[in-house]
Amino acid sequence: MGAEKQADLHTHTSRSDGLLEPAELVALANDAGLAAVAITDHDNTAGVHDAVSAASALEIEVVPGIEVSTRTANREIHLLGLFIDPDAEVLAGLSRRQRKWRRERAEVMVERAIKLGLDIDLARVDALAAGAPIGRPHLAQVLLDAGEVISTQDAFDRYLGIGKPCSVPKQMVDTKDAIAAVHEAGGAAVVAHPGSSRVREKILTELASAGLDGVEVMHPRHERRRQHIVRGLCEKLGLLPSGGSDYHGPGRGDSRLGEHSVPMDWCEGLRQRANRYQTSTKGC
Ligand code: AMP
Ligand code: ZN
Ligand code: FE
Ligand code: FE
């Protein structure tokens, strides 16, 4: 890597299903020597302001972001919005809707877990999420705290992973609508971890025609071969490359902050793309 400045453009805080407070995450990213870190919590932007304030006393830049769970056909596609306005009304509306859907889903998942005889209830899940959109990692943590599983990974392997007894699909916004929402909020729209979502050329081509700006090349679930394939698709489809650690805090998930980070050039490319949407919306 040498001395080239790096950006980690995919992280989660306690404002979704991460473990660290936004300010803690920013301090850690600064200590890691990153030039920029994007806060991309699931379906909400509540952590962005705290992260930006924390960064004001440091060298590091915070890129305001979001990771929206979206649907295309029968597939769950995670869409990152980078350089968004965290206060954009369009994102606030989307967050309200997804938060409600996630809470309803959590109710069903908890009911299933109780039927299996597991020690869990919705009140503990709500308390742990503390207003954040509820994700399966919150349920996994409650099961871990109750001694029902030996790790959060164990909770996914036995109960919460796709096809396991407590897994319930999410209701999600259509991917193309989410791309439009990200643009309206002045951000660049980027497909996250296409490798682990099984998003291949056909879908990326379709989304590129719908205005998609970029795609993650670097991600903990992308081995070298996948990085190479996605990089090739970027060039073929005119998409910008992005990437990051998808960090969820110490011990949660399989990556460390700053791993799979990208050169600042990539970050600048995305910033310039987002600028286009900001100037075009200001003119309306
Ligand atoms: P949800 O938004 O409720 O569907 O939860 C998605 C989050 O759960 C992801 O961001 C990961 O942090 C975590 N996750 C999903 N699948 C697994 C898995 N098989 N093992 C461990 N963590 C997972
Ligand atoms: Zn997550
Ligand atoms: Fe994701
Ligand atoms: Fe993520």
Side-chain angles (χ1 to χ4, degrees), residues 246-264:
D246 207 352
Y247 183 67
H248 280 76
R252 182 170 287 179
D254 50 10
S255 70
R256 281 175 299 151
L257 190 62
E259 268 182 339
H260 313 284
S261 60
V262 302
M264 273 306 277

PDB file of all heavy atoms in Angstrom, residues 246-264:
ATOM      1  N   ASP A 246     -16.877  -3.122   5.891  1.00  0.00           N
ATOM      2  CA  ASP A 246     -18.178  -3.562   6.421  1.00  0.00           C
ATOM      3  C   ASP A 246     -18.034  -3.877   7.911  1.00  0.00           C
ATOM      4  O   ASP A 246     -18.639  -4.816   8.434  1.00  0.00           O
ATOM      5  CB  ASP A 246     -18.688  -4.786   5.646  1.00  0.00           C
ATOM      6  CG  ASP A 246     -20.209  -4.902   5.651  1.00  0.00           C
ATOM      7  OD1 ASP A 246     -20.868  -4.134   6.376  1.00  0.00           O
ATOM      8  OD2 ASP A 246     -20.728  -5.770   4.920  1.00  0.00           O
ATOM      9  N   TYR A 247     -17.216  -3.068   8.573  1.00  0.00           N
ATOM     10  CA  TYR A 247     -16.908  -3.278   9.993  1.00  0.00           C
ATOM     11  C   TYR A 247     -18.155  -3.107  10.854  1.00  0.00           C
ATOM     12  O   TYR A 247     -18.926  -2.156  10.665  1.00  0.00           O
ATOM     13  CB  TYR A 247     -15.847  -2.250  10.395  1.00  0.00           C
ATOM     14  CG  TYR A 247     -15.333  -2.348  11.796  1.00  0.00           C
ATOM     15  CD1 TYR A 247     -14.587  -3.437  12.206  1.00  0.00           C
ATOM     16  CD2 TYR A 247     -15.555  -1.317  12.709  1.00  0.00           C
ATOM     17  CE1 TYR A 247     -14.080  -3.515  13.502  1.00  0.00           C
ATOM     18  CE2 TYR A 247     -15.047  -1.377  14.002  1.00  0.00           C
ATOM     19  CZ  TYR A 247     -14.319  -2.481  14.392  1.00  0.00           C
ATOM     20  OH  TYR A 247     -13.821  -2.543  15.666  1.00  0.00           O
ATOM     21  N   HIS A 248     -18.340  -4.043  11.817  1.00  0.00           N
ATOM     22  CA  HIS A 248     -19.483  -3.974  12.741  1.00  0.00           C
ATOM     23  C   HIS A 248     -19.019  -3.873  14.199  1.00  0.00           C
ATOM     24  O   HIS A 248     -19.848  -4.012  15.101  1.00  0.00           O
ATOM     25  CB  HIS A 248     -20.378  -5.210  12.593  1.00  0.00           C
ATOM     26  CG  HIS A 248     -21.332  -5.158  11.422  1.00  0.00           C
ATOM     27  ND1 HIS A 248     -20.939  -5.355  10.124  1.00  0.00           N
ATOM     28  CD2 HIS A 248     -22.674  -4.936  11.367  1.00  0.00           C
ATOM     29  CE1 HIS A 248     -21.991  -5.266   9.317  1.00  0.00           C
ATOM     30  NE2 HIS A 248     -23.063  -5.007  10.040  1.00  0.00           N
ATOM     31  N   GLY A 249     -17.721  -3.672  14.417  1.00  0.00           N
ATOM     32  CA  GLY A 249     -17.226  -3.570  15.794  1.00  0.00           C
ATOM     33  C   GLY A 249     -16.375  -4.766  16.161  1.00  0.00           C
ATOM     34  O   GLY A 249     -16.420  -5.795  15.484  1.00  0.00           O
ATOM     35  N   PRO A 250     -15.604  -4.632  17.273  1.00  0.00           N
ATOM     36  CA  PRO A 250     -14.691  -5.706  17.658  1.00  0.00           C
ATOM     37  C   PRO A 250     -15.432  -7.007  17.941  1.00  0.00           C
ATOM     38  O   PRO A 250     -16.387  -7.022  18.716  1.00  0.00           O
ATOM     39  CB  PRO A 250     -14.023  -5.167  18.929  1.00  0.00           C
ATOM     40  CG  PRO A 250     -14.830  -3.980  19.351  1.00  0.00           C
ATOM     41  CD  PRO A 250     -15.571  -3.476  18.172  1.00  0.00           C
ATOM     42  N   GLY A 251     -15.021  -8.064  17.285  1.00  0.00           N
ATOM     43  CA  GLY A 251     -15.621  -9.380  17.547  1.00  0.00           C
ATOM     44  C   GLY A 251     -16.910  -9.645  16.811  1.00  0.00           C
ATOM     45  O   GLY A 251     -17.454 -10.737  16.872  1.00  0.00           O
ATOM     46  N   ARG A 252     -17.463  -8.636  16.145  1.00  0.00           N
ATOM     47  CA  ARG A 252     -18.691  -8.885  15.380  1.00  0.00           C
ATOM     48  C   ARG A 252     -18.345  -8.877  13.893  1.00  0.00           C
ATOM     49  O   ARG A 252     -17.865  -7.884  13.377  1.00  0.00           O
ATOM     50  CB  ARG A 252     -19.752  -7.823  15.692  1.00  0.00           C
ATOM     51  CG  ARG A 252     -21.053  -8.099  14.945  1.00  0.00           C
ATOM     52  CD  ARG A 252     -22.186  -7.221  15.408  1.00  0.00           C
ATOM     53  NE  ARG A 252     -22.684  -7.607  16.732  1.00  0.00           N
ATOM     54  CZ  ARG A 252     -23.672  -6.978  17.362  1.00  0.00           C
ATOM     55  NH1 ARG A 252     -24.245  -5.941  16.811  1.00  0.00           N
ATOM     56  NH2 ARG A 252     -24.067  -7.378  18.550  1.00  0.00           N
ATOM     57  N   GLY A 253     -18.589  -9.968  13.220  1.00  0.00           N
ATOM     58  CA  GLY A 253     -18.223 -10.057  11.809  1.00  0.00           C
ATOM     59  C   GLY A 253     -16.766 -10.458  11.669  1.00  0.00           C
ATOM     60  O   GLY A 253     -16.086 -10.727  12.658  1.00  0.00           O
ATOM     61  N   ASP A 254     -16.317 -10.503  10.428  1.00  0.00           N
ATOM     62  CA  ASP A 254     -15.008 -11.104  10.197  1.00  0.00           C
ATOM     63  C   ASP A 254     -13.976 -10.130   9.653  1.00  0.00           C
ATOM     64  O   ASP A 254     -13.021 -10.523   9.017  1.00  0.00           O
ATOM     65  CB  ASP A 254     -15.155 -12.315   9.260  1.00  0.00           C
ATOM     66  CG  ASP A 254     -15.955 -11.970   8.020  1.00  0.00           C
ATOM     67  OD1 ASP A 254     -16.224 -10.768   7.806  1.00  0.00           O
ATOM     68  OD2 ASP A 254     -16.316 -12.891   7.269  1.00  0.00           O
ATOM     69  N   SER A 255     -14.166  -8.827   9.871  1.00  0.00           N
ATOM     70  CA  SER A 255     -13.145  -7.917   9.345  1.00  0.00           C
ATOM     71  C   SER A 255     -12.790  -6.857  10.375  1.00  0.00           C
ATOM     72  O   SER A 255     -13.535  -6.605  11.316  1.00  0.00           O
ATOM     73  CB  SER A 255     -13.640  -7.241   8.078  1.00  0.00           C
ATOM     74  OG  SER A 255     -14.646  -6.327   8.398  1.00  0.00           O
ATOM     75  N   ARG A 256     -11.624  -6.258  10.160  1.00  0.00           N
ATOM     76  CA  ARG A 256     -11.198  -5.156  11.022  1.00  0.00           C
ATOM     77  C   ARG A 256     -11.373  -3.848  10.272  1.00  0.00           C
ATOM     78  O   ARG A 256     -11.347  -3.808   9.037  1.00  0.00           O
ATOM     79  CB  ARG A 256      -9.732  -5.350  11.408  1.00  0.00           C
ATOM     80  CG  ARG A 256      -9.570  -6.383  12.525  1.00  0.00           C
ATOM     81  CD  ARG A 256      -8.122  -6.646  12.815  1.00  0.00           C
ATOM     82  NE  ARG A 256      -7.457  -7.178  11.627  1.00  0.00           N
ATOM     83  CZ  ARG A 256      -6.185  -7.012  11.334  1.00  0.00           C
ATOM     84  NH1 ARG A 256      -5.400  -6.334  12.119  1.00  0.00           N
ATOM     85  NH2 ARG A 256      -5.672  -7.535  10.237  1.00  0.00           N
ATOM     86  N   LEU A 257     -11.541  -2.766  11.032  1.00  0.00           N
ATOM     87  CA  LEU A 257     -11.701  -1.453  10.423  1.00  0.00           C
ATOM     88  C   LEU A 257     -10.475  -1.143   9.556  1.00  0.00           C
ATOM     89  O   LEU A 257      -9.348  -1.372   9.984  1.00  0.00           O
ATOM     90  CB  LEU A 257     -11.848  -0.402  11.532  1.00  0.00           C
ATOM     91  CG  LEU A 257     -12.267   0.998  11.101  1.00  0.00           C
ATOM     92  CD1 LEU A 257     -13.640   0.991  10.438  1.00  0.00           C
ATOM     93  CD2 LEU A 257     -12.293   1.931  12.304  1.00  0.00           C
ATOM     94  N   GLY A 258     -10.716  -0.634   8.353  1.00  0.00           N
ATOM     95  CA  GLY A 258      -9.607  -0.270   7.474  1.00  0.00           C
ATOM     96  C   GLY A 258      -9.155  -1.386   6.553  1.00  0.00           C
ATOM     97  O   GLY A 258      -8.443  -1.146   5.581  1.00  0.00           O
ATOM     98  N   GLU A 259      -9.597  -2.633   6.851  1.00  0.00           N
ATOM     99  CA  GLU A 259      -9.274  -3.722   5.925  1.00  0.00           C
ATOM    100  C   GLU A 259     -10.119  -3.543   4.673  1.00  0.00           C
ATOM    101  O   GLU A 259     -11.276  -3.106   4.776  1.00  0.00           O
ATOM    102  CB  GLU A 259      -9.633  -5.077   6.558  1.00  0.00           C
ATOM    103  CG  GLU A 259      -8.489  -5.706   7.305  1.00  0.00           C
ATOM    104  CD  GLU A 259      -8.864  -7.069   7.868  1.00  0.00           C
ATOM    105  OE1 GLU A 259     -10.051  -7.361   8.043  1.00  0.00           O
ATOM    106  OE2 GLU A 259      -7.944  -7.821   8.152  1.00  0.00           O
ATOM    107  N   HIS A 260      -9.569  -3.917   3.539  1.00  0.00           N
ATOM    108  CA  HIS A 260     -10.291  -3.812   2.270  1.00  0.00           C
ATOM    109  C   HIS A 260     -10.625  -2.361   1.930  1.00  0.00           C
ATOM    110  O   HIS A 260     -11.598  -2.085   1.250  1.00  0.00           O
ATOM    111  CB  HIS A 260     -11.568  -4.669   2.272  1.00  0.00           C
ATOM    112  CG  HIS A 260     -11.318  -6.051   2.786  1.00  0.00           C
ATOM    113  ND1 HIS A 260     -10.693  -7.007   2.029  1.00  0.00           N
ATOM    114  CD2 HIS A 260     -11.567  -6.609   3.983  1.00  0.00           C
ATOM    115  CE1 HIS A 260     -10.575  -8.110   2.758  1.00  0.00           C
ATOM    116  NE2 HIS A 260     -11.091  -7.903   3.943  1.00  0.00           N
ATOM    117  N   SER A 261      -9.843  -1.431   2.483  1.00  0.00           N
ATOM    118  CA  SER A 261     -10.068  -0.023   2.158  1.00  0.00           C
ATOM    119  C   SER A 261      -9.575   0.256   0.745  1.00  0.00           C
ATOM    120  O   SER A 261      -8.921  -0.586   0.122  1.00  0.00           O
ATOM    121  CB  SER A 261      -9.375   0.873   3.184  1.00  0.00           C
ATOM    122  OG  SER A 261      -7.998   0.612   3.180  1.00  0.00           O
ATOM    123  N   VAL A 262      -9.904   1.445   0.239  1.00  0.00           N
ATOM    124  CA  VAL A 262      -9.645   1.754  -1.180  1.00  0.00           C
ATOM    125  C   VAL A 262      -8.802   3.026  -1.288  1.00  0.00           C
ATOM    126  O   VAL A 262      -8.776   3.839  -0.355  1.00  0.00           O
ATOM    127  CB  VAL A 262     -10.991   1.924  -1.946  1.00  0.00           C
ATOM    128  CG1 VAL A 262     -11.828   0.664  -1.825  1.00  0.00           C
ATOM    129  CG2 VAL A 262     -11.764   3.145  -1.471  1.00  0.00           C
ATOM    130  N   PRO A 263      -8.123   3.228  -2.419  1.00  0.00           N
ATOM    131  CA  PRO A 263      -7.329   4.451  -2.574  1.00  0.00           C
ATOM    132  C   PRO A 263      -8.231   5.691  -2.547  1.00  0.00           C
ATOM    133  O   PRO A 263      -9.383   5.629  -2.975  1.00  0.00           O
ATOM    134  CB  PRO A 263      -6.693   4.303  -3.961  1.00  0.00           C
ATOM    135  CG  PRO A 263      -6.988   2.930  -4.426  1.00  0.00           C
ATOM    136  CD  PRO A 263      -8.055   2.348  -3.584  1.00  0.00           C
ATOM    137  N   MET A 264      -7.687   6.814  -2.067  1.00  0.00           N
ATOM    138  CA  MET A 264      -8.476   8.053  -2.029  1.00  0.00           C
ATOM    139  C   MET A 264      -8.954   8.471  -3.422  1.00  0.00           C
ATOM    140  O   MET A 264      -9.975   9.137  -3.548  1.00  0.00           O
ATOM    141  CB  MET A 264      -7.682   9.185  -1.363  1.00  0.00           C
ATOM    142  CG  MET A 264      -7.824   9.225   0.140  1.00  0.00           C
ATOM    143  SD  MET A 264      -9.553   9.274   0.715  1.00  0.00           S
ATOM    144  CE  MET A 264      -9.947  11.017   0.580  1.00  0.00           C
TER     145      MET A 264
END
